[in-house]
Amino acid sequence: MTSTSPAPRPVVPRRLLLGIAACVVLVALGAWAAGLFGGMIDLRVYRMGGSVLLDGGSLYDAQLPGGSGLPFTYPPFAAIVMVPLAAVPWGVALVVWTTISVLCISALWRTSLPKTAWSFFTQRKRTVLLIALTLLSLLLEPVWQTIQFGQINLLLTAMILLDLVRPADARLRGFWLGVTIGIKLTPLPFLALLVVTKQWGALRNAVLGLVATMAIGFAIVPHQSWRYWTDVMLDANRVGGIAYTGNQSFRGFLTRIGDEASWVVPTWFLLSAVFGLLVLWLARRYWLADERITAISVMALAVLYASPISWSHHWVWIIPLGVSLIRSVNRVWGLNPAVVTGVLWYGLFVLRSIWWVPYRDDRELSWSFWQSIPGNSHLILGLIAFIILAVTSRSLPKPQPAPATAQQA
C-alpha cells in the first residue's frame, strides 16, 4: 500500500513580495514628494467612518473636522471595512491605501490588454511595460484625482472588472460585484448587464454579495443601517454641489445649464433611461461576441452618465474603455487610426480640460458655450467613444447558437 504525500501549498513568489515591497517604498516617497500626507480628504472621510464605529458614535451625523465638514455618505459596510485603516496611524493608512490603488492600476492594464499584446514581450519586458503604463496613468485626470483624494474608485473598478471577466463557471463569479455595490451604490447598474446577457448565476451571486454586506451592516450597526437604507441613500445633496464641474454626469451637465429649473430632473431621468437602454444594447452585443472587457467598459458609461453625481475621479474606467476603443478601431480601420485614437483618448484626459474654466461658487452656471466644451469634456469624450464603439460593432461576428446537447438532439 503506497501513501501519497499531500500536494505542496502554493508559495507566494519571492519576486511578487519584492515587487510589492518596492511599490510600498516608492509610494511612500512619491506621496511625500507630492505632498499627499497633508491631503487625501476622501481617505480621511473613510477613516472617520471607521473611527466613528470604533467610538460608538453616529455615523451619518459625523463631519470631518478641519473646516470641510464633509459627512460620511457610504453604506455602513463601507465604514466597517475601513476600521483597519482607522486603527493605524495616518501615514501607514495613506501608504497602504495608495499602494492598493497603484496595484489596481496595474491590474486594470494587465486585464484590459489582450493576451496577444503580451505575447510579443519576454517576462521582464512585460514587467517593465506594466510599470511604465502604471506610472504614465498617474497623468490621467481621473486616476490622479483618485490618488490625490485617496478615493476608492480604482479598487472598485478592478474588483468589478476582474470578477466579471472570469469564466462563466468560475466559483462565486459576480459575488464581488455585489460587494462593491454594498460599499458604494454606483455599480448597481451592472446588474442590468447580467440580466440582458442572461448570466443568471453571476446575478444570483451579485445579489448574495450585496445582501451579505447589508446583513453585516445590520448585524453590527442596525440603527444606522436602517437610517442609511431608508433615508441617507436618497439624499444626493450630501455628496456635494451637483453643478460643480467635477460632476461629469447628465445631472451635472443639465444643472449647469438650467440650475434649479423644473425641467432638469425629468430631463435627467429621460436621458438616463434612453442612454441606459442604448448602452445595454451595445454592451450585450459586445458580450455575445466574447468582447467582455469592451462590454463591461461600455456598461460603465451608463453608470457614469446616469448617476446624479459622477465625480471626475469616477472616470477611471477610461483605462479599459480606451483599450477597447483602440482595439475596435484597429479591427475596422487599421493600425494607424488605432494609434491616433489611443493618443487622442488618453492625451485629452491628460490635459484635464474640465479645470480650464471657472468653477466653484456656482460659477459653472454662467459658462459661455465655449467654456462648456472643456467644462464637460469627460462627457463629450465618453459620447464619442460610445458612438465609435457602436459603429465598429457592426463588424463583430454574429454569435453562434450553442450546440445542442445529446438530450436536446
Side-chain angles (χ1 to χ4, degrees):
M1 183 175 181
T2 59
S3 61
T4 58
S5 59
R9 294 182 179 180
V11 179
V12 178
R14 182 181 300 179
R15 290 183 179 179
L16 178 60
L17 292 176
L18 290 175
I20 294 176
C23 184
V24 170
V25 173
L26 290 175
V27 164
L29 293 174
W32 171 77
L36 297 182
F37 283 92
M40 290 210 167
I41 193 167
D42 287 315
L43 178 58
R44 295 180 187 274
V45 171
Y46 300 155
R47 295 181 79 242
M48 178 189 70
S51 297
V52 169
L53 292 190
L54 290 174
D55 298 336
S58 177
L59 185 59
Y60 298 108
D61 291 323
Q63 292 184 343
L64 190 67
S68 66
L70 290 177
F72 190 84
T73 61
Y74 305 93
F77 181 74
I80 295 170
V81 298
M82 294 299 169
V83 166
L85 289 178
V88 298
W90 167 246
V92 175
L94 183 148
V95 172
V96 169
W97 188 247
T98 307
T99 300
I100 292 172
S101 294
V102 171
L103 292 175
C104 286
I105 297 174
S106 299
L108 288 175
W109 281 111
R110 186 66 182 87
T111 306
S112 301
L113 290 171
K115 293 181 179 179
T116 53
W118 297 106
S119 62
F120 293 103
F121 304 98
T122 63
Q123 182 61 46
R124 179 172 296 181
K125 290 182 178 179
R126 292 174 192 171
T127 303
V128 172
L129 175 62
L130 197 57
I131 293 174
L133 289 173
T134 301
L135 293 176
L136 289 172
S137 296
L138 297 177
L139 299 175
L140 299 170
E141 192 274 343
V143 175
W144 179 246
Q145 288 284 81
T146 296
I147 297 293
Q148 184 180 29
F149 289 133
Q151 258 288 343
I152 197 172
N153 303 302
L154 285 164
L155 176 58
L156 298 184
T157 301
M159 287 175 64
I160 294 170
L161 195 67
L162 270 63
D163 186 18
L164 296 185
V165 297
R166 293 190 294 160
D169 58 350
R171 186 178 181 183
L172 289 181
R173 180 176 170 274
F175 180 84
W176 295 108
L177 168 61
V179 172
T180 64
I181 300 172
I183 295 174
K184 192 173 185 178
L185 293 180
T186 48
L188 186 63
F190 278 99
L191 297 181
L193 174 64
L194 302 181
V195 172
V196 298
T197 52
K198 300 181 180 179
Q199 302 179 64
W200 308 123
L203 178 63
R204 176 201 61 212
N205 293 335
V207 173
L208 287 175
L210 173 58
V211 171
T213 65
M214 296 175 66
I216 292 172
F218 275 100
I220 296 177
V221 281
H223 297 294
Q224 297 184 66
S225 294
W226 176 259
R227 181 180 173 186
Y228 177 81
W229 294 107
T230 59
D231 179 30
V232 175
M233 67 173 290
L234 303 175
D235 186 3
N237 292 320
R238 285 179 62 91
V239 295
I242 295 178
Y244 183 51
T245 186
N247 181 18
Q248 293 289 301
S249 68
F250 277 145
R251 180 77 182 271
F253 168 71
L254 294 171
T255 303
R256 288 189 282 272
I257 296 176
D259 195 6
E260 297 180 357
S262 59
W263 57 266
V264 169
V265 173
T267 305
W268 166 53
F269 277 121
L270 179 61
L271 273 178
S272 298
V274 172
F275 187 68
L277 291 174
L278 291 173
V279 164
L280 282 173
W281 161 78
L282 186 59
R284 181 179 184 274
R285 192 165 187 173
Y286 274 100
W287 188 272
L288 295 180
D290 202 28
E291 294 284 345
R292 294 190 173 190
I293 298 294
T294 305
I296 298 168
S297 301
V298 168
M299 192 63 216
L301 287 176
V303 177
L304 295 168
Y305 281 83
S307 175
I309 301 288
S310 289
W311 299 129
S312 65
H313 46 71
H314 293 178
W315 282 72
V316 291
W317 281 100
I318 65 170
I319 292 177
L321 184 60
V323 174
S324 300
L325 198 60
I326 294 168
R327 293 182 65 230
S328 296
V329 170
N330 181 54
R331 186 183 66 249
V332 177
W333 294 306
L335 180 60
N336 289 338
V339 171
V340 173
T341 299
V343 171
L344 288 175
W345 175 258
Y346 293 112
L348 288 171
F349 280 102
V350 169
L351 293 178
R352 309 181 185 194
S353 55
I354 63 171
W355 307 112
W356 292 357
V357 290
Y359 61 92
R360 287 202 182 101
D361 300 325
D362 288 336
R363 283 183 286 179
E364 296 90 345
L365 301 178
S366 58
W367 281 352
S368 67
F369 171 79
W370 296 111
Q371 288 175 323
S372 66
I373 294 176
N376 295 295
S377 58
H378 286 20
L379 289 166
I380 296 170
L381 290 172
L383 285 176
I384 293 173
F386 177 83
I387 293 170
I388 292 175
L389 289 172
V391 171
T392 55
S393 71
R394 293 181 298 179
S395 67
L396 291 172
K398 294 183 179 180
Q400 299 297 321
T405 63
Q407 183 176 2
Q408 291 172 334

